[in-house]
Structure formats: C-alpha cells, structure tokens
C-alpha cells in the first residue's frame, strides 16, 4: 500500500488508473507516464532498498555490539561517507548524484575497514567494546575533517548540504542498480549469518561450543553492515533513527531471534522510510520535506515509547 502511495502521491497527484497504464503500457509522449517511469518508480524502489538496508544494518550492528541501542554509524560509516563526498567535491568538483554514490560508498568502506583494523578485529576475534571505541574515534576525526573543509570552502558547503540532508529528491533510475547490487549482497550475508548471530548472542564461548567461529561471524557481519549502511548512505545521505527503531519494533513483535528478526527488520524499516518519504512530499506542498527529517519525527516518538514501556529486550 505504501509503495502504491509513493507512486501516486507527490507535488502533482496522478490517479491510480494513469499509474497502472504507465506501468503496463507506458506512453513516451505522456508527461504523467514519464513522471511515473523516470521519477516515482525508481524513487520508490530506492526508498524500499535503503529502508531495508538501514533496518538490517541496525539489527546486525546491535548483534555485533550486543547493545540494543547501537546503530550503523558506530562503525564510522556515515562519517566516512560524508568525508569522502566532501573530498570528491573539493578535489574533482563532483556535482552529480551518480558521482556522490561512488565517493560515499568508498569512504564508508574505508572508514569501516579502518575501524576494524584499529579495533584489532583483523588480527583476532573482535571485541565489541574496542570496535565501538574505534568507531567513535574515527567518527570524531572524520567529522572534524569534514567540518574544516566545509568552513573553509563555502562552495563545497553549498553542494554538500543537499546530500547531507538525507533526501530522495532528484534520485533517478541511474542510482538504483549499483545501490541494489550492494544492498542485495549485504542482505544475503546478513541472512546467511543469522543463525550464527543467534548462537553468539550468549557470548563468544557459548558460540564456539555450538561450532560457530566468532571471528568469521563478526567479519561477515561487518562486511554486511558496510555494504548495507554504506550503500544506503551513499544513495540518500545520512538518515537516522530507521536503523535504530526498526530492530526495536522487530524485537517487540517477533522476539530476539535473528533468523526471524533480520527479514522482519527489512520490512519494518522499508515501510517506515516509505511512509516518511510520502509524508514529506505532501506536508509542505509545493516544497518537499526531507525523508531524514520525517523519519526522525516518526522514529523518535516510537523509540521513546518503547523505552518507556520497557519493551526493549536485552541481547
């Protein structure tokens, strides 16, 4: 239902019959059909992909740190993506969304690998506390670098702020394929290690007793988070609360088991972000409110309510 609303609703309303015709028999001379085919359909697919990626990345990150309040930014993914986008704008003057994606994805991956190296996960089994501390340090350093560039180069700031707001406005079909590939691979890894995450929920020693390798599982979990959160951040900019709220809702509804929680988080987060994107399009017509702002307005009350009711289970 939300996907249908995402295609129908916008600054210009398109009736469902026209949308159906645009999907099954598109007319290249009809501007309504072109709007559906070139703008709204790719945007809807991208919102679903990004939402699912953030939800699953949040669940996996919480499993890695054994902290139900963890989110993907703890690995420095958001800070790395932002620093790389700023660098691309400064050095090569990248101005297109397609260029932002590759810079942001590379920055997110490099930041996460650096955090893993600093946390010692490349030499021995990862320690969640060391990973979080390394991620926090990396985020501070990269955030300082990003701020220094933006303060000293106003032209870069003018371009960067449109990406940094966390929006799907202006994203077309060219953005979807590279993002979809990374997210599908990341989702596949998360689903493949879900049983191992369940085994390690009681600690590394308990997991080893069940035949699970903690180092291998944490490394694969890290790769999954990098692919999911990196691709999502590259495509839409930093979006908060989705990766934090979706796993909390999932645990309240389906329990803490990651075999069920991972796919459920994908559905919840995709629905949450779709709702935020649709609401943002109509809330301040004829302008548009960024999805990151609306998702925070939706996610924050849900998060607070879950905490107040003490429905946030321990891991």
């Amino acid at each position: 239902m939300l996907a249908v609303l995402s295609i129908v609703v916008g600054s210009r309303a398109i009736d469902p019959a026209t949308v159906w015709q645009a999907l099954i028999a598109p007319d290249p001379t009809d501007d309504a059909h072109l709007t559906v085919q070139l703008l709204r359909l790719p945007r809807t697919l991208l919102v679903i992909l990004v939402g699912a990626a953030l939800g699953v990345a949040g669940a996996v990150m919480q499993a890695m740190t054994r902290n139900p309040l963890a989110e993907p930014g703890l690995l420095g993914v958001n800070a790395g993506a932002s620093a790389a986008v700023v660098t691309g704008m400064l050095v090569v003057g990248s101005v297109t969304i397609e260029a932002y994606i590759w810079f942001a994805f590379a920055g997110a991956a490099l930041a996460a690998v650096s955090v893993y190296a600093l946390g010692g996960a490349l030499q021995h089994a990862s320690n969640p506390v060391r990973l979080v501390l390394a991620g926090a340090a990396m985020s501070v350093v990269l955030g300082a670098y990003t701020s220094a560039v933006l303060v000293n180069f106003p032209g870069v700031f003018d371009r960067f702020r449109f990406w940094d707001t966390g929006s799907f406005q202006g994203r077309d079909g060219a953005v979807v394929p590279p993002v979809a590939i990374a997210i599908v691979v990341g989702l596949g890894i998360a689903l493949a290690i879900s049983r191992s995450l369940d085994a390690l929920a009681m600690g590394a020693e308990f997991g080893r007793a069940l035949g699970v390798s903690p180092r291998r599982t944490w490394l694969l979990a890290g790769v999954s988070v990098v692919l999911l959160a990196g691709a999502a951040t590259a495509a839409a900019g930093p979006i908060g609360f989705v990766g934090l709220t979706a796993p909390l809702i999932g645990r309240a509804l389906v329990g803490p088991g990651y075999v069920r929680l991972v796919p459920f988080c994908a559905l919840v987060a995709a629905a949450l972000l779709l709702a935020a994107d649709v609401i943002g399009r109509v809330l301040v017509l004829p302008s548009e409110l960024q999805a990151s702002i609306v998702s925070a307005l939706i996610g924050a009350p849900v998060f607070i309510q879950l905490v107040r009711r003490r429905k946030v289970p321990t891991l």
Side-chain angles (χ1 to χ4, degrees), residues 61 65 67 69-78 115 131-136 138-139:
M61 192 67 214
T65 60
N67 180 356
L69 301 181
E71 53 92 24
L74 286 180
L75 276 184
V77 171
N78 291 346
V115 168
L131 280 180
V132 171
L133 292 176
M138 182 64 65
S139 295

Side-chain angles (χ1 to χ4, degrees), residues 44-233:
T44 300
L45 293 174
L46 189 63
V47 173
I48 293 172
L49 287 169
V50 169
L54 291 174
V56 174
V60 174
M61 192 67 214
Q62 291 172 14
M64 291 175 64
T65 60
R66 300 183 66 189
N67 180 356
L69 301 181
E71 53 92 24
L74 286 180
L75 276 184
V77 171
N78 291 346
S82 298
V85 169
V86 164
T87 302
M89 293 177 179
L90 178 65
V91 176
V92 301
S94 60
V95 295
T96 64
I97 295 174
E98 289 79 5
Y100 293 168
I101 287 180
W102 298 112
F103 279 103
F105 189 76
L110 288 174
V113 170
S114 300
V115 168
Y116 255 60
L118 291 172
L122 299 182
Q123 287 78 34
H124 46 76
S126 69
N127 184 316
V129 176
R130 293 183 64 180
L131 280 180
V132 171
L133 292 176
M138 182 64 65
S139 295
V140 170
V141 172
L142 293 175
Y145 164 77
T146 301
S147 299
V149 173
L150 295 178
V151 168
N152 290 282
F153 297 91
V156 174
F157 172 75
D158 288 338
R159 297 195 298 270
F160 176 76
R161 63 192 179 95
F162 291 105
W163 176 84
D164 192 50
T165 53
S167 173
F168 295 94
Q169 189 174 12
R171 273 58 168 178
D172 56 23
V175 180
V176 176
V179 172
I181 293 172
I183 290 176
V184 168
V185 173
L187 290 174
I189 295 174
L191 290 171
I193 64 172
S194 58
R195 294 189 182 277
S196 298
L197 294 177
D198 282 333
L200 292 172
M202 299 298 293
E205 293 300 326
F206 185 81
R208 289 191 186 94
L210 295 177
V212 175
S213 169
R215 180 183 180 186
R216 177 178 175 274
T217 302
W218 296 143
L219 285 174
L220 288 175
V223 171
S224 176
V225 171
V226 170
L227 289 172
L228 295 171
T233 304

Side-chain angles (χ1 to χ4, degrees), residues 290-310:
Q290 287 78 11
S292 62
I293 298 174
V294 181
S295 67
L297 293 175
I298 296 174
V302 172
F303 170 74
I304 294 171
Q305 188 67 16
L306 286 171
V307 173
R308 283 177 60 85
R309 292 184 176 182
R310 298 183 179 182

Side-chain angles (χ1 to χ4, degrees), residues 29 41 81 96 119 147 150 180 191 230 238-239 243 247 255 273 277 280 284 297:
T29 63
L41 184 58
T96 64
S147 299
L150 295 178
L191 290 171
I239 296 179
L273 199 55
D277 189 49
V284 290
L297 293 175

